[in-house]
Amino acid sequence: MKIPLLDLNPSLNELRHEIFEAVTRVINSTRYIMGPEIEGLEKEISEYCGSSDSIGVSSGTDALLLSLMVLNVGPGDFVVTSNFSFFATAGVVARLNATPIFVDINQETFNIDPNQLRIVLTEMDEVTRKRVRAIIPVHLYGQCAEMNEILKVSKEFDIPIVEDCAQAIGAECLIDGKKKNAGSLGDFGCFSFFPSKNLGGIGDGGIITVNDPEMANLLRLKRVHGGERKYYHRVIGGNFRLDPIQAAVLRVKLPYLNKWHKQRQENASHYNKLFAESGLGGKIITPILEHSQCLHNRHIYNQYVIRAERRDELKTFLAMNEIDSEVYYPIPFHLQECFLHLGGKIGDFPVSESVAKEVLALPIFPGITEEMRQTVVTKIANFYLI
Ligand SMILES: Cc1ncc(COP(=O)(O)O)c(C=O)c1O
């Protein structure tokens, strides 16, 4: 039995007719730039995420880039972020000629360690600290970062938060006793609609959520080259527009999102149970749900990531048995070739370095069968126990 890491067919088959209708509607409308589909999606995402405004953009990467542009991040500035994420999180900082400052992660949640974050900001010299323009926590794999503490640090040092929610639409956590959505916790929430996300388009796309109308206006302005009136440019922006075809498809999919989250959560519980019964304790670690600094998390399992002993051998063994798996991410930022000039070396960030050697994402998509999940766990057990 071949088991892919992700199969988009089950959700496509469910909605094929509606998706084709939505795409045809846009084509027939001849509104190919901006327009009602974008506005409709923005309204619906604001409702879903609990934000006052949403601004559809061209990708998750551009959501981060545009947010930093609105914060005037530029040469000589710094942005503090997790050392362990998809490249875009740090890449956007460097693209604005600012410098990323990396912080190690919590080994249980894989998210930025709030204690380390505080230490980094406290030990920094005053001149540098004054130039820290943003903190980017990443809600990695679909689980909120430890936002209670991160929000305290942000307040203490008066630094805005740009949440990287690319993998975490619909993730929730408890802040001061209240359930809050990823994207409504900090100053900007940056989402990706890359097809593999829980809410994925049929191409690239992204959105930014904010709760400040002034920021929303500025983001909208910079999304279209900073021109309020056509050909009159008050500020410099870019072409960060979301494609209406993507917006129309995403609007079809959004009402099904909670159902898909639930299926992923059920798949994760099933994996957890099978692994608990497998006698593999010590060889692998399954994802945790509750963490002392982040209670009542609603993990949306964009990825189900285990930590595994002899990870690379296990991955090869699974591939030989026609089971796909993936390493998100093999190299922490401080050891990426393009960031070596920042002086990072092996040993600087022990948690992300060891996690990068152990993480392995297993198939979790809605539509994966019980038999497939059982096969995945049986094969992993075979690898270690035989
Ligand atoms: C954590 C994280 N940040 C940013 C991005 C960038 O999103 P996009 O691929 O839509 O540009 C991704 C996409 O995979 C991501 O996983």
Side-chain angles (χ1 to χ4, degrees), residues 3 13 81 94 107 110-111 166 178 194 201 208 228-229 236 242 248 264 308 329 354 356 366 380:
I3 308 178
N13 289 337
T81 191
Q107 63 173 352
F110 310 110
N111 287 321
K178 277 198 201 119
F194 188 81
I208 306 170
E228 231 147 57
R229 279 166 66 201
I236 292 171
L242 176 64
R264 285 173 182 268
Y329 297 95
S354 71
I380 292 176

Side-chain angles (χ1 to χ4, degrees), residues 59-61 64 85-86 88-89 138 164 166-167 192 194 197 204-205 329:
S59 67
T61 304
L64 291 164
S85 177
F86 177 64
T89 312
V138 184
D164 185 337
Q167 303 181 3
S192 164
F194 188 81
K197 305 305 187 213
D204 278 310
Y329 297 95

Side-chain angles (χ1 to χ4, degrees), residues 10-181:
S11 43
L12 176 61
N13 289 337
E14 193 179 353
L15 298 175
R16 184 179 298 274
H17 181 66
E18 282 179 74
I19 287 175
F20 275 59
E21 238 177 37
V23 171
T24 308
R25 185 174 71 231
V26 176
I27 293 172
N28 286 338
S29 76
T30 70
R31 282 297 302 266
Y32 301 147
I33 299 290
M34 301 305 289
E37 298 294 347
I38 306 289
E39 284 160 25
L41 178 73
E42 288 176 343
K43 194 166 157 282
E44 287 152 19
I45 291 287
S46 291
E47 275 161 24
Y48 187 82
C49 292
S51 63
S52 70
D53 284 273
S54 297
I55 297 92
V57 291
S58 27
S59 67
T61 304
D62 283 346
L64 291 164
L65 185 65
L66 186 57
S67 300
L68 295 187
M69 283 171 71
V70 160
L71 287 171
N72 285 321
V73 173
D77 290 336
F78 299 90
V79 173
V80 181
T81 191
S82 167
N83 190 36
F84 187 69
S85 177
F86 177 64
F87 182 72
T89 312
V92 290
V93 179
R95 284 172 63 188
L96 293 170
N97 295 313
T99 306
I101 295 177
F102 302 125
V103 175
D104 213 350
I105 55 170
N106 177 296
Q107 63 173 352
E108 290 184 308
T109 64
F110 310 110
N111 287 321
I112 191 167
D113 180 338
N115 305 323
Q116 290 294 325
L117 174 66
R118 178 174 271 108
I119 291 171
V120 165
L121 285 165
T122 306
E123 290 184 350
M124 192 176 273
D125 65 80
E126 194 63 26
V127 179
T128 307
R129 197 184 313 127
K130 281 206 169 114
R131 301 290 305 255
V132 176
R133 297 279 180 247
I135 299 168
I136 310 182
V138 184
H139 307 311
L140 203 68
Y141 307 144
Q143 187 175 40
C144 283
E146 288 81 299
M147 291 305 293
N148 272 300
E149 276 308 300
I150 295 168
L151 286 166
K152 278 185 206 153
V153 174
S154 147
K155 226 183 200 163
E156 212 173 298
F157 291 92
D158 194 22
I159 304 170
I161 290 185
V162 177
E163 297 174 64
D164 185 337
C165 309
Q167 303 181 3
I169 190 162
E172 282 173 358
C173 62
L174 210 61
I175 303 288
D176 296 332
K178 277 198 201 119
K179 264 192 183 173
K180 292 264 217 161
N181 279 296

